[in-house]
Amino acid sequence: MKRTATLLLLLIFSTIVIAQETYVNRPSAEHPFGKPHPEAPKEIMDYAPLIGVSDCQSVSRVSQTEWADTVSMEWHWKYILNGWGIQDETLKADGTHSGSIRQFNADSAQWYVHYYTTSAATPTLNTWAGDGREGGDIVLYMPQKAPNGFDGFFKIRFSDISDEGFNWEGAWVDPAETINYSSWRIFCRKRVD
């Protein structure tokens, strides 16, 4: 009985040690935002400058000619899935919070971004897709009809990406992108500890 208990404790301890060594890319005290997995597709680095916390100003359109008051927000970014994915979370001063899970699919060479928010719990998350980089920007699309029924996309663009910050824009575009109707903009500065 004593030998069985000793073997069981040894098995449990070795399993814990192996698990700790296996999941070294997840957020930890040493790496609070996690690390990219060394075997993940190289595109995992597309979001590297955004990892951490940024202080942002968010503004959205309320009509054809008017923008709402600017809302302060924090945008938190970290590696998840042991460094194979990225999660972001926004905490807005107006109490509306949101987030996304980002995974790169090497087979389709596309990012898939699944968005959720406190303003509407849905059984199916909105999903943007795109191959990521476009002239230094990150660009993603989700099919969306315009209010008048025309086909198009809701396009999101991360621009001016640097270690100091980034900008974000959400806009409706037609399939040829001759129409670009911006409806939401966010301007972020990376928080320096």
Side-chain angles (χ1 to χ4, degrees), residues 5 22 65 71 101 111 115 136 141 148 190:
T22 302
T65 58
V71 176
I101 302 292
W111 277 100
Y115 174 79
Y141 297 86
N148 61 7
K190 195 79 172 274

Side-chain angles (χ1 to χ4, degrees), residues 32-54:
F33 306 108
K35 302 184 302 185
H37 196 286
E39 295 176 20
K42 67 180 177 15
E43 288 81 2
I44 197 79
M45 299 307 294
D46 288 353
Y47 290 92
L50 284 65
I51 299 297
V53 180
S54 291

Side-chain angles (χ1 to χ4, degrees), residues 11-34:
L11 178 63
I12 291 169
F13 177 73
S14 63
T15 302
I16 291 170
V17 168
I18 289 169
Q20 288 174 344
E21 291 173 4
T22 302
Y23 306 123
V24 296
N25 301 302
R26 68 182 176 183
S28 64
E30 186 178 350
H31 300 282
F33 306 108

Side-chain angles (χ1 to χ4, degrees), residues 129-146:
D131 57 9
R133 292 295 187 161
E134 184 180 291
D137 294 352
I138 298 172
V139 179
L140 303 157
Y141 297 86
M142 179 183 70
Q144 183 180 55
K145 289 194 179 288

Side-chain angles (χ1 to χ4, degrees), residues 15-183:
T15 302
I16 291 170
V17 168
I18 289 169
Q20 288 174 344
E21 291 173 4
T22 302
Y23 306 123
V24 296
N25 301 302
R26 68 182 176 183
S28 64
E30 186 178 350
H31 300 282
F33 306 108
K35 302 184 302 185
H37 196 286
E39 295 176 20
K42 67 180 177 15
E43 288 81 2
I44 197 79
M45 299 307 294
D46 288 353
Y47 290 92
L50 284 65
I51 299 297
V53 180
S54 291
D55 295 305
C56 308
Q57 298 298 312
S58 172
V59 62
S60 56
R61 192 181 292 273
V62 292
S63 73
Q64 293 280 345
T65 58
E66 289 185 78
W67 290 81
D69 291 337
T70 301
V71 176
S72 295
M73 64 180 249
E74 294 178 7
W75 205 337
H76 298 248
W77 294 77
K78 66 181 177 182
Y79 293 103
I80 60 168
L81 303 172
N82 196 32
W84 286 85
I86 296 169
Q87 181 177 22
D88 67 87
E89 175 186 37
T90 67
L91 301 172
K92 297 182 189 80
D94 68 2
T96 305
H97 313 302
S98 59
S100 296
I101 302 292
R102 300 164 187 276
Q103 291 180 286
F104 187 80
N105 183 311
D107 291 338
S108 66
Q110 298 238 334
W111 277 100
Y112 296 117
V113 179
H114 308 283
Y115 174 79
Y116 47 91
T117 176
T118 57
S119 66
T122 63
T124 305
L125 298 178
N126 288 327
T127 303
W128 279 260
D131 57 9
R133 292 295 187 161
E134 184 180 291
D137 294 352
I138 298 172
V139 179
L140 303 157
Y141 297 86
M142 179 183 70
Q144 183 180 55
K145 289 194 179 288
N148 61 7
F150 288 141
D151 288 334
F153 300 92
F154 193 80
K155 176 182 179 179
I156 57 176
R157 176 184 295 272
F158 291 89
S159 63
D160 301 316
I161 301 168
S162 73
D163 291 334
E164 286 80 40
F166 60 92
N167 295 327
W168 181 96
E169 181 182 40
W172 183 87
V173 296
D174 67 325
E177 295 196 45
T178 55
I179 300 171
N180 185 327
Y181 182 77
S182 179
S183 61

